[in-house]
Amino acid sequence: MNVKRYWFSIALPVFVAISIGTYYVGAAMRDLPDYRIEKVTGDAKEAANLVIDGETKRPQIRYQLEVGADGSSYDIKKSLIDQMKEVYYTESNPDLAHLKKEHRGFTRGQNNYSGFYADDIKLVYAAANRGSGDSSDGRSSYSISIRTQDLKSGKKKDFQAILPGKPKYYSLYVYDVQAKGSQLKLMAQLSKGSAEDYRRGILKSEIHLYTVDLDKEGIIDDQTIASDKKLEGGRAEHFQIIGVNADFVSPSDYVMIGRSLVQTKQLSDGNTEEIPIESNYLAYRYSADTLIPVPIKASVDGMDYPMLSERQVITFSMKDNQLHVDRYDIAKQQQGSSFDILLSLKLSQLSSIQKIVYGDRLYVFNRVNAEYEVIVADTTRGKVVYQGKIAVDGNAEQQAARMKELQLYGFYLTF
Amino acid sequence: MIEVKGIGKKYGRKHVLREVSFTAEKGQITCLIGINGVGKSTVLKAIMGLTPVASGTILIDGRTVSSQLYDKITFIPDSITMPPNMTVDACMQFMKDYYASWNTKRAAELAGFFKLNGRDRVGELSKGNAAKLNLLLGLALDVDYVLMDEPFSGIDMFSREQIASVFTSHLIEERGVIITTHEINDIEHLIDKVVLLENGLVRREFETEEVRLQEGKSVMDVMREVYNG
Amino acid sequence: MNRYLKLVHWEITRFWKMLAALAIVTIVLQCAGILYETHRYASEVYDRVESDHSTIAAFVQEHGKHSFIDGLARAGLAVYAPIALCIGGLVLYVFLIWYKEWFGKNAFIYRLLTLPTARRNIYFAKFTAILLFVFALVGLQLVLLPIEDGLYMMAGGDTLFESSNIFDLIANDRLLSMLIPQTFTDFVINYGAGAIAVFIGFTAVLLERSYKLKGIVAAILYIAAVGVFMMMPVLLPGNLTVTYWYTIEWFGIEAALGLVVAAVTVWLGLHLITKKVTV
């Protein structure tokens, strides 16, 4: 074969292979700073499932990344397929993430996450659907679509439950689902006002408990648990379901409800203004069908909510440079022991700390300037079981520069 | 032997070929005759697999045409089919690259005989020289069958003589040749077999020697009979 | 295999001049654009510093250095226009690579179709050639970027200007990151989809060359059918709405549909060139 003649036709693919090949080998092997969650004290296993996401503010570009105990994972190095694969795992609520991983088929296409329920026997999903009929005043009839799957037999049910009396509401949202035998209990928040009321700031909210009979495939009871009320002296009461149950997919006997007392004031333009006077928490107990008071300190500016995990309501407050964790045992209706978490970084305000409660663990993520700390505490024993910080590779100078570039935002648990 | 059996073809609504059947033997020169547009070129293209036929079959030595047969049969169209910026040498190199049946010696021989300059570009050749190159590219292949479409049309007289002399040489001897033409004056004495086409049908297929001996007619006589009668 | 490679070589020899022209235009326009940008930015800074009665050092202190990423973005048209030209030229050539064979009377197509090689080799050789030309220009851009970065620094100096990492540069630029996706898997996905489009283009040309006007109609209908076929997951009746599938499932479905389209299109194209094409 006369190679000289073909030199260009050989050189061309060689050029292609070298230029494009070199680029992609370089891209894959690129040495980007490897941040990781590093243990300071405690049991490293506690932080094994933690992932913190954020970005690096490199001089000329930002890269999204995730930091875990075993290193960093940069989006820029992931192919489209890799990025798509992870999407449905990265739920910031671990309960939901776990459900999505275990039961992909059941959770597909469902948007109302608070409508999920899972125990050993069955999976349930309930979501409110706005009807398509006449909604001239902003109110529509609603139905609730219910899906269940029996875990042992695999049998599925799918039906629309119509509200008894076919009332019309401005909005309806299912916040919690519990199941017992062949019945479902749905805790929903609805608004009775019209579009006009809404515009003037009058919501007319109510909290309803619907009982669904799975055999009859319909709603057999509609009970009003709480409803907004006008009191004397221009005051009004508002009720709101607080979706703070960390384990909202798992069975729970409680739903947290917030009550706020406000003073209404008429403004010159005809709208009303509401000045908050006081707020407190209640819990609805399914098994007893009662509303019980929860004597915990309510958040003033709504920035720091309590968290409900299993039978404990956990509240947070600042005490010097410590995160003070109060526990209230909602079953025994008594204050549990509290404990303090000493933070190594200065605590500026409560809202700058991120917290996840899952099962009996409390995960805390604190950020001050370019430093981060991660703490894991056992809430039943009131003890810190892990403390860690974010570290990066490189020499001292490189480390300082790289930590300055890092900006971490939120964290979640993987499974 | 090339067997054309009942082929038909339409261009739009027009039936160019209705039911054309004839055979061409190896070692013979068969001539397809007919007026312009009667479909002679179409028949050759169909034999070569350059255009599909709506009906009928074509067999070359008992096999249907496929790319494997292109080392056994070659087609010389009526004008040069090489890119205009290629040199004569490059054209020959091209044929050599792709055809196992390319005979380099014969190619050189023909190039000398036709007095073609290897470094001339195809686009610069005169019509006569282009036709000669075309012929060279076909005849330098050691194929069994050669199809030629209007090899003499528009060629100057001297080139025509040169080309006609090729027909009597060893270059054609044992091969089967089908040529098309609408005038047979120059080569009547060379043709072994004639196929007369009219209106998409074969009007008459005959061996020139036989007709001359048995009916005392020349090819022109038969043509007059068929087209006017 | 041998003849297929020779046909690829043949296609390359026929196009290399055009390829070289595209390459030269790209090199010249991009480099000129980058050099001009350093000049323009520097004079803007000098003007600004003069009118503010400030110093260059103070300016750099406040605004930082002008990175190659910044410079490339500002050079804008000088960088993107040649890329657009190359893309346009190659898209056109998807069709011309076939139609050129029919130019003139008794064109080269006679030669091509009567070569003693399976006709599918012609189809695949043209496809291979197109891919090679596309990748060659992509490779050229990849080689050019660090060179342009070097030119940028050489012309601008490091008082006002700073270099950029090529990976950062491409990630930051919308057009470049589409042509050069971030991982090799993405490259295969993007250009795989492009390859399917080339197959469709080829088969459309062959439909026209086999059936003329009816062929054009058939080609249009075929493309429409492909579009509907690829949209099938969305158009299916019943409860399956767009939100039903997880993203990766969507991708898997579309990839499978794409492969089916590719297979059918190639099969059709090969069938046409072997049995139906006419000169």
Side-chain angles (χ1 to χ4, degrees):
Chain A
M1 190 177 81
N2 189 354
V3 179
K4 257 177 75 175
R5 217 159 40 106
Y6 297 115
W7 76 271
F8 187 73
S9 296
I10 295 174
L12 198 63
V14 167
F15 170 74
V16 165
I18 292 181
S19 57
I20 297 181
T22 309
Y23 178 78
Y24 280 112
V25 167
M29 296 199 331
R30 228 180 132 187
D31 213 6
L32 293 169
D34 193 28
Y35 302 95
R36 63 187 178 283
I37 303 175
E38 194 174 75
K39 177 184 99 166
V40 172
T41 60
D43 184 2
K45 282 204 290 283
E46 295 285 347
N49 286 341
L50 268 181
V51 176
I52 309 178
D53 69 17
E55 62 184 22
T56 64
K57 282 186 309 177
R58 285 164 72 77
Q60 294 163 19
I61 190 168
R62 290 165 192 260
Y63 285 141
Q64 310 292 327
L65 78 160
E66 281 137 25
V67 179
D70 52 2
S72 301
S73 161
Y74 284 85
D75 274 9
I76 190 84
K77 280 195 168 187
K78 292 188 205 151
S79 74
L80 191 67
I81 297 181
D82 291 331
Q83 291 183 35
M84 285 192 288
K85 272 199 276 199
E86 295 177 0
V87 157
Y88 62 101
Y89 286 155
T90 58
E91 283 295 331
S92 48
N93 181 287
D95 226 24
L96 186 62
H98 196 248
L99 180 71
K100 276 189 157 185
K101 186 173 180 199
E102 296 293 310
H103 300 285
R104 257 181 78 176
F106 188 76
T107 59
R108 69 169 62 250
Q110 317 294 20
N111 295 324
N112 176 20
Y113 294 151
S114 47
F116 279 114
Y117 168 88
D119 62 22
D120 300 325
I121 307 170
K122 56 154 103 43
L123 305 175
V124 179
Y125 175 76
N129 287 326
R130 197 179 173 93
S132 51
D134 165 45
S135 61
S136 48
D137 63 349
R139 289 186 275 221
S140 286
S141 56
Y142 276 85
S143 62
I144 300 183
S145 46
I146 307 218
R147 289 179 72 203
T148 64
Q149 183 175 325
D150 184 309
L151 287 172
K152 287 209 178 64
S153 66
K155 269 173 67 174
K156 297 193 187 141
K157 245 191 222 280
D158 206 329
F159 60 93
Q160 296 284 332
I162 306 169
L163 304 178
K166 300 215 183 110
K168 285 186 159 190
Y169 297 124
Y170 188 83
S171 67
L172 175 67
Y173 190 78
V174 174
Y175 268 99
D176 192 43
V177 176
Q178 301 297 332
K180 191 151 176 215
S182 63
Q183 279 194 350
L184 297 180
K185 296 277 186 191
L186 310 178
M187 190 66 79
Q189 179 109 31
L190 55 88
S191 176
K192 275 181 138 170
S194 66
E196 187 54 43
D197 293 327
Y198 219 82
R199 245 170 291 150
R200 288 166 55 209
I202 304 168
L203 292 167
K204 293 189 189 158
S205 272
E206 288 185 1
I207 298 175
H208 280 231
L209 179 69
Y210 296 105
T211 307
V212 175
D213 187 313
L214 290 172
D215 295 326
K216 296 200 187 115
E217 294 194 1
I219 298 177
I220 56 175
D221 188 42
D222 175 0
Q223 185 186 341
T224 306
I225 301 296
S227 69
D228 287 359
K229 272 204 283 291
K230 274 215 179 74
L231 303 171
E232 22 173 72
R235 304 199 300 177
E237 234 184 359
H238 290 311
F239 291 93
Q240 176 88 27
I241 299 178
I242 315 255
V244 293
N245 188 350
D247 315 323
F248 62 73
V249 175
S250 316
S252 170
D253 202 19
Y254 303 96
V255 169
M256 293 278 289
I257 294 173
R259 170 188 167 271
S260 53
L261 188 63
V262 298
Q263 178 79 43
T264 55
K265 217 172 85 166
Q266 279 284 91
L267 292 176
S268 46
D269 54 10
N271 290 330
T272 45
E273 194 194 354
E274 293 187 338
I275 306 164
I277 302 175
E278 69 174 24
S279 33
N280 55 316
Y281 290 106
L282 306 160
Y284 175 81
R285 189 170 184 187
Y286 286 98
S287 52
D289 190 22
T290 49
L291 270 176
I292 51 180
V294 178
I296 56 175
K297 263 202 301 254
S299 67
V300 173
D301 52 3
M303 293 284 278
D304 200 51
Y305 282 114
M307 290 181 149
L308 175 62
S309 179
E310 295 180 342
R311 312 153 24 138
Q312 300 187 86
V313 178
I314 299 173
T315 48
F316 305 95
S317 53
M318 279 166 57
K319 201 162 125 179
D320 303 321
N321 206 54
Q322 305 195 76
L323 180 67
H324 183 79
V325 182
D326 276 306
R327 294 172 302 152
Y328 181 82
D329 188 322
I330 209 172
K332 292 201 193 123
Q333 287 191 268
Q334 67 188 47
Q335 195 78 29
S337 53
S338 61
F339 64 98
D340 294 309
I341 297 179
L342 178 61
L343 303 163
S344 53
L345 302 175
K346 193 162 133 50
L347 180 58
S348 52
Q349 51 177 356
L350 215 49
S351 51
S352 65
I353 297 187
Q354 297 195 35
K355 312 164 211 69
I356 294 179
V357 171
Y358 187 59
D360 57 4
R361 288 291 186 270
L362 164 66
Y363 300 87
V364 173
F365 177 55
N366 186 20
R367 176 180 110 196
V368 175
N369 295 330
E371 286 185 84
Y372 304 86
E373 68 177 322
V374 175
I375 296 173
V376 183
D378 179 332
T379 54
T380 46
R381 289 186 302 150
K383 276 176 60 169
V384 168
V385 293
Y386 173 92
Q387 273 183 304
K389 61 174 186 167
I390 303 293
V392 70
D393 57 347
N395 61 38
E397 202 185 303
Q398 287 173 322
Q399 285 183 24
R402 288 171 179 175
M403 288 309 293
K404 267 179 78 182
E405 288 174 355
L406 183 65
Q407 194 131 40
L408 294 178
Y409 297 125
F411 67 142
Y412 52 91
L413 294 171
T414 57
F415 292 95
Chain B
M1 175 169 76
I2 296 180
E3 299 166 78
V4 176
K5 300 191 205 177
I7 58 172
K9 187 169 175 72
K10 274 168 50 161
Y11 274 135
R13 293 243 187 100
K14 187 172 151 204
H15 271 268
V16 171
L17 306 171
R18 276 181 221 278
E19 225 199 278
V20 172
S21 307
F22 65 92
T23 59
E25 310 279 341
K26 227 172 126 169
Q28 286 194 341
I29 298 178
T30 306
C31 185
L32 288 182
I33 301 179
I35 54 167
N36 275 341
V38 77
K40 309 189 293 295
S41 303
T42 309
V43 170
L44 290 189
K45 289 184 205 173
I47 297 174
M48 265 320 261
L50 283 171
T51 193
V53 290
S55 55
T57 45
I58 300 172
L59 297 174
I60 300 164
D61 287 346
R63 291 154 59 193
T64 50
V65 69
S66 72
S67 48
Q68 293 153 327
L69 286 180
Y70 292 139
D71 258 316
K72 292 186 78 178
I73 178 171
T74 186
F75 177 54
I76 303 175
D78 61 352
S79 49
I80 189 77
T81 53
M82 284 296 195
N85 61 335
M86 270 183 91
T87 63
V88 168
D89 279 338
C91 290
M92 300 208 291
Q93 179 65 51
F94 178 89
M95 298 304 283
K96 182 160 180 235
D97 281 338
Y98 288 95
Y99 290 91
S101 51
W102 179 257
N103 188 323
T104 320
K105 251 185 71 184
R106 190 176 325 147
E109 202 188 303
L110 276 167
F113 178 67
F114 284 137
K115 296 197 177 48
L116 293 169
N117 185 338
R119 281 197 294 272
D120 281 342
R121 291 191 188 267
V122 164
E124 295 164 350
L125 294 173
S126 69
K127 208 144 181 237
N129 280 341
K132 289 182 217 169
L133 173 62
N134 221 13
L135 207 60
L136 185 161
L137 295 177
L139 292 177
L141 290 169
D142 285 334
V143 289
D144 294 335
Y145 299 98
V146 180
L147 309 179
M148 291 190 233
D149 196 13
E150 306 275 0
F152 301 107
S153 74
I155 309 299
D156 64 274
M157 205 169 71
F158 297 111
S159 303
R160 229 187 272 181
E161 270 178 20
Q162 261 196 321
I163 294 171
S165 67
V166 167
F167 276 78
T168 49
S169 71
H170 63 282
L171 292 163
I172 295 284
E173 236 164 38
E174 276 142 23
R175 312 211 233 197
V177 177
I178 306 180
I179 78 169
T180 67
T181 184
H182 57 275
E183 48 162 273
I184 55 147
N185 294 326
D186 299 308
I187 46 157
E188 186 172 347
H189 56 288
L190 299 168
I191 304 173
D192 298 311
K193 187 172 183 181
V194 169
V195 175
L196 294 176
L197 278 179
E198 194 189 22
N199 284 333
L201 295 168
V202 172
R203 293 299 297 274
R204 205 166 157 189
E205 181 183 348
F206 61 92
E207 309 235 354
T208 54
E209 187 76 12
E210 233 177 78
V211 159
R212 197 160 40 102
L213 289 174
Q214 290 181 355
E215 297 174 37
K217 293 188 190 126
S218 71
V219 175
M220 291 293 290
D221 296 330
V222 178
M223 277 172 69
R224 255 182 241 119
E225 235 176 62
V226 168
Y227 289 127
N228 294 335
Chain C
M1 182 59 174
N2 211 1
R3 299 226 172 89
Y4 157 75
L5 288 176
K6 283 182 179 161
L7 284 171
V8 175
H9 169 72
W10 173 252
E11 292 294 341
I12 294 175
T13 54
R14 305 265 257 133
F15 190 69
W16 78 269
K17 285 192 182 137
M18 197 59 201
L19 194 66
L22 288 173
I24 290 171
V25 166
T26 304
I27 295 170
V28 167
L29 279 181
Q30 288 195 349
C31 291
I34 295 293
L35 290 173
Y36 176 70
E37 168 56 21
T38 59
H39 173 78
R40 184 167 78 134
Y41 182 76
S43 50
E44 276 177 24
V45 170
Y46 287 133
D47 287 345
R48 174 84 179 270
V49 159
E50 232 186 273
S51 71
D52 285 355
H53 303 291
S54 174
T55 64
I56 304 277
F59 181 89
V60 171
Q61 183 82 324
E62 191 186 329
H63 293 103
K65 293 189 184 176
H66 201 51
S67 71
F68 182 56
I69 293 181
D70 297 327
L72 196 88
R74 280 183 28 138
L77 210 58
V79 171
Y80 300 132
I83 296 179
L85 184 70
C86 291
I87 294 176
L90 286 173
V91 167
L92 197 63
Y93 200 62
V94 167
F95 300 98
L96 268 183
I97 198 172
W98 289 98
Y99 283 112
K100 70 171 163 59
E101 317 296 19
W102 271 269
F103 288 163
K105 185 174 188 277
N106 293 343
F108 187 70
I109 190 67
Y110 281 69
R111 209 42 83 181
L112 207 55
L113 290 179
T114 55
L115 288 176
T117 178
R119 296 236 178 123
R120 63 171 178 272
N121 285 336
I122 303 173
Y123 187 92
F124 289 124
K126 287 185 185 292
F127 173 74
T128 307
I130 295 274
L131 275 192
L132 261 180
F133 300 148
V134 169
F135 291 152
L137 291 172
V138 170
L140 173 70
Q141 182 70 86
L142 275 175
V143 165
L144 266 184
L145 286 174
I147 293 176
E148 288 167 3
D149 183 57
L151 268 179
Y152 186 74
M153 291 309 293
M154 240 170 47
D158 63 0
T159 326
L160 283 175
F161 300 94
E162 64 180 356
S163 213
S164 290
N165 177 294
I166 298 307
F167 302 112
D168 289 344
L169 171 67
I170 293 177
N172 209 29
D173 184 296
R174 257 179 82 185
L175 179 60
L176 288 178
S177 55
M178 271 202 295
L179 295 174
I180 305 164
Q182 54 190 48
T183 68
F184 190 68
T185 311
D186 294 327
F187 184 88
V188 170
I189 294 171
N190 284 20
Y191 286 95
I196 298 180
V198 171
F199 284 139
I200 294 178
F202 276 10
T203 299
V205 168
L206 290 172
L207 275 171
E208 189 274 328
R209 291 282 90 188
S210 301
Y211 299 111
K212 303 288 186 277
L213 199 60
K214 281 196 269 187
I216 297 181
V217 174
I220 294 174
L221 286 177
Y222 183 74
I223 293 172
V226 165
V228 169
F229 183 71
M230 295 298 287
M231 296 283 287
M232 232 168 50
V234 185
L235 299 174
L236 276 181
N239 284 327
L240 292 164
T241 63
V242 182
T243 56
Y244 189 77
W245 306 102
Y246 286 110
T247 319
I248 189 153
E249 291 171 346
W250 262 116
F251 178 80
I253 292 171
E254 290 294 318
L257 291 179
L259 287 175
V260 170
V261 167
V264 169
T265 306
V266 171
W267 173 85
L268 180 60
L270 294 181
H271 176 75
L272 289 170
I273 197 180
T274 311
K275 298 225 159 58
K276 297 292 183 197
V277 75
T278 178
V279 303

